[in-house]
Amino acid sequence: MLKRLFLAAGILAGSLGVASTVGAAVDYSEIIEQESAWIESLQQPSGAIVMTREHTYEVEGKRYYKIEPYFANLALVGMLENPDPGKLQTARKWMEWYFSHMNAPDYNGALGSVYVHYADPVTQAETATPGTLAHGNYDSTDSYAATFLSLTRKYIESGGDRSFVLGKKAELETIAGAMLSTLQPNGLTWAKPDYAIPYLMDNTEVHTGLVDIEWLERQVFGDAVKANEYEIKKKASLAGIELMWNPAKDNYDFYECGHCSGGTSDWSSFYPGATAQMYPIWHNILTPPSERAVRLYQKLNESHPGWPELSTPDAFPWAILAYTGALMDDKERVDTFLSSVKSAYLDKSRGWPYYNLEAGFTIRAAKTVRDKSNLALGAPVLGSTAQHLAGNVTNGVLSDSWVISKDRNHHLEAEVAEDIVERGQETAGKKGPSKAWLRLDLGTAEPLNRLLIKWGKDHAKAYTIQTSGDGIHFEDVYKVKGSDGGKDEIALPGAEARYVRLIFTDISRKAGMEIREIEIY
């Protein structure tokens, strides 16, 4: 159960208080967990990922769930920001679905493309040709393939089955061929063979796809020859994207046509004009500190200041903008967006037009801000017992934990016990107190405003929070009584400290206690 606890001004004068409720702050980890689980829940028995189950699409009088490969790829990239065995299996099943649905060839003669599919909400039967459609279709060949290559790399980096990917070298190269099937001499790709438009958004995705297939060739397949071929195309892609920079407009054309009037971007046009400008930033073609990235992001906020509150001319939330904002270190706007999307969608059954891609980028925005602002992330941890698990509480991984048994002797060896036991308890050379504790070293003294504990199955009903500048002399800053687990969120006095220690004085069950994560802001 969520609790928000605070340290009142009177407590600072010397007395310790019991928890009270305060105003909400963004719980990034909660958003990451909930949205990654929701994406996971969208998987069909076949392995396909539907956009949402809160909305259906009508085709010739019948309604279907939609399986959009591009959206699914990007949603799963976001889901794998919170990897665990179940989510890795979800990603693998989708990848198997994708491989098994590759066209050979498609209606344009391209190999390795994948069509949009439709799933019957009742029977779960899937088809690319509902009704009387003569053949399947897709929105693009370049972006579908590019984002799948990016997902494959993310799967490996998240701990996925390397041997599975090793066995798919030929298929992945065929998919890379589909991505490049519309490649033009200027290094840019058309959206698809029968739609000869080289879009900025697509080509930033193709550039990332080339980065990722090159990485796969070098790091997974060990094929330097193929890697070098993709590297050459990657450099040509980057040069092609630069052709789309329009100095007169000080922005990118949203498609390349030699700066013709039809392709130029107007900031008053939210989509595609303004939103397209963010793609080179979140694809790392423009590094966030660069002058061009700063100007483009500032212009977005000047032209469409309401996007963090979901107030734009477009019905969709556009979590891609929040992810871009997170990369630009714009915590304030991202926090506003996350609060807005939680209120509008996450707390209301994720109604349409919220769908899997929005969830994937909401995760990426939340995780980026969390990892940049969480002072405890990666902090060394000393524990009263189970030291080999203590680091789990600050590693940012929400699927592992520090677990202790209540009947264990929670004290250090005699020579160092004096450094950690609570004042007034037994000291070195004697039996230690039957209390579990954790000590976090933040590396440098920082102002501490908020502490968040994510409990596992068992929790501490009572515990003391202490801070220290030297790791030896600790001062009590808060005592919690009556915690009922789930999540504790505690406001701290804001004073600077390097070390934080938690001493757990009353464990909820005989089984012991489990902490999944501690975050400090």
Side-chain angles (χ1 to χ4, degrees):
M1 180 183 296
L2 167 64
K3 296 163 296 301
R4 296 189 179 91
L5 314 174
F6 83 110
L7 192 61
I11 296 172
L12 292 173
S15 63
L16 292 169
V18 180
S20 299
T21 303
V22 293
V26 176
D27 186 343
Y28 308 110
S29 292
E30 180 180 73
I31 290 172
I32 293 165
E33 286 190 297
Q34 290 181 350
E35 295 317 282
S36 59
W38 184 67
I39 293 170
E40 192 175 13
S41 76
L42 297 175
Q43 188 154 62
Q44 296 283 98
S46 67
I49 302 289
V50 298
M51 287 175 61
T52 177
R53 291 196 176 92
E54 300 299 318
H55 180 74
T56 55
Y57 288 80
E58 183 176 341
V59 182
E60 296 186 4
K62 187 172 180 179
R63 303 204 71 86
Y64 299 89
Y65 296 139
K66 193 173 184 179
I67 302 162
E68 224 313 341
Y70 170 77
F71 296 149
N73 292 337
L74 290 172
L76 291 174
V77 169
M79 183 195 72
L80 290 178
E81 293 290 349
N82 183 35
D84 60 33
K87 293 179 181 65
L88 288 167
Q89 182 62 20
T90 296
R92 174 171 173 162
K93 286 180 66 179
W94 163 252
M95 293 166 71
E96 290 171 341
W97 184 94
Y98 195 102
F99 287 132
S100 68
H101 287 76
M102 290 166 56
N103 293 309
D106 64 25
Y107 72 96
N108 282 311
L111 298 173
S113 62
V114 174
Y115 292 141
V116 172
H117 280 65
Y118 299 86
D120 188 300
V122 178
T123 68
Q124 309 299 319
E126 297 169 6
T127 180
T129 55
T132 59
L133 294 181
H135 59 73
N137 213 326
Y138 38 56
D139 183 68
S140 71
T141 49
D142 56 0
S143 289
Y144 283 31
T147 52
F148 186 80
L149 296 173
S150 296
L151 171 61
T152 304
R153 176 176 177 174
K154 185 68 174 180
Y155 173 76
I156 289 291
E157 292 181 323
S158 301
D161 184 352
R162 195 179 185 91
S163 63
F164 165 65
V165 175
L166 276 168
K168 297 296 183 182
K169 184 176 190 292
E171 289 89 338
L172 288 164
E173 289 174 352
T174 300
I175 291 168
M179 175 179 70
L180 298 172
S181 63
T182 59
L183 183 64
Q184 303 303 300
N186 62 5
L188 299 174
T189 57
W190 296 344
K192 54 183 179 178
D194 53 349
Y195 199 77
I197 302 293
Y199 284 109
L200 173 63
M201 292 182 285
D202 290 46
N203 278 278
T204 59
E205 290 159 344
V206 168
H207 181 266
T208 300
L210 286 165
V211 169
D212 294 334
I213 186 62
E214 180 195 346
W215 182 90
L216 289 166
E217 294 287 6
R218 293 193 196 281
Q219 302 300 324
V220 179
F221 303 132
D223 189 337
V225 173
K226 291 295 292 185
N228 290 340
E229 291 176 6
Y230 291 124
E231 183 180 19
I232 291 169
K233 290 181 171 62
K234 177 187 71 177
K235 291 178 180 178
S237 169
L238 191 63
I241 291 169
E242 187 59 23
L243 291 174
M244 303 173 81
W245 179 255
N246 190 329
K249 294 280 189 176
D250 199 32
N251 63 22
Y252 289 94
D253 294 341
F254 72 89
Y255 71 84
E256 206 291 308
C257 60
H259 307 317
C260 69
S261 59
T264 57
S265 297
D266 184 345
W267 283 105
S268 65
S269 169
F270 180 73
Y271 175 83
T275 54
Q277 307 305 313
M278 300 301 104
Y279 276 64
I281 299 175
W282 70 264
H283 278 287
N284 204 35
I285 292 167
L286 300 178
T287 54
S290 72
E291 182 181 349
R292 186 183 290 183
V294 170
R295 290 203 315 273
L296 290 172
Y297 185 66
Q298 286 178 341
K299 192 65 177 178
L300 169 74
N301 292 311
E302 292 170 5
S303 303
H304 301 282
W307 72 261
E309 293 86 10
L310 315 185
S311 178
T312 71
D314 198 282
F316 294 93
W318 276 93
I320 284 173
L321 303 184
Y323 178 50
T324 306
L327 295 174
M328 296 297 293
D329 291 329
D330 189 355
K331 182 177 182 297
E332 182 177 352
R333 286 189 177 90
V334 176
D335 281 358
T336 299
F337 175 89
L338 293 173
S339 296
S340 299
V341 86
K342 184 175 187 300
S343 175
Y345 297 107
L346 311 193
D347 294 342
K348 296 179 180 178
S349 302
R350 298 173 182 82
W352 184 256
Y354 191 82
Y355 65 106
N356 58 4
L357 177 139
E358 297 288 0
F361 279 97
T362 296
I363 292 168
R364 293 168 80 172
K367 186 172 187 296
T368 300
V369 173
R370 185 199 70 177
D371 291 357
K372 287 184 175 184
S373 56
N374 175 16
L375 301 175
L377 184 67
V381 184
L382 194 62
S384 56
T385 191
Q387 180 61 40
H388 64 294
L389 298 176
N392 289 347
V393 304
T394 60
N395 65 2
V397 178
L398 301 170
S399 58
D400 59 19
S401 57
W402 181 60
V403 183
I404 62 170
S405 174
K406 191 173 182 180
D407 59 5
R408 295 284 296 273
N409 183 13
H410 304 299
H411 69 284
L412 286 179
E413 298 298 329
E415 62 267 23
V416 294
E418 191 173 63
D419 185 35
I420 58 86
V421 295
E422 185 178 12
R423 185 181 302 175
Q425 299 293 331
E426 295 173 283
T427 56
K430 299 181 181 181
K431 184 178 179 180
S434 181
K435 296 175 183 176
W437 52 268
L438 288 170
R439 188 185 74 178
L440 284 63
D441 180 357
L442 305 182
T444 58
E446 300 282 356
L448 308 182
N449 297 302
R450 183 166 66 108
L451 184 145
L452 192 65
I453 300 177
K454 299 276 187 176
W455 299 101
K457 293 180 180 179
D458 302 303
H459 65 282
K461 292 188 290 186
Y463 54 94
T464 300
I465 301 170
Q466 300 177 325
T467 60
S468 170
D470 58 12
I472 298 174
H473 304 95
F474 282 84
E475 177 183 1
D476 293 353
V477 295
Y478 203 71
K479 287 189 176 180
V480 174
K481 297 179 181 179
S483 173
D484 55 3
K487 176 178 73 175
D488 286 352
E489 185 173 348
I490 299 154
L492 298 175
E496 289 192 358
R498 172 175 171 174
Y499 297 89
V500 176
R501 188 166 73 197
L502 295 92
I503 299 176
F504 307 100
T505 52
D506 186 2
I507 296 175
S508 62
R509 298 196 328 166
K510 291 182 179 180
M513 182 180 69
E514 179 183 7
I515 297 178
R516 297 188 299 129
E517 200 72 15
I518 296 174
E519 300 173 13
I520 300 174
Y521 300 93

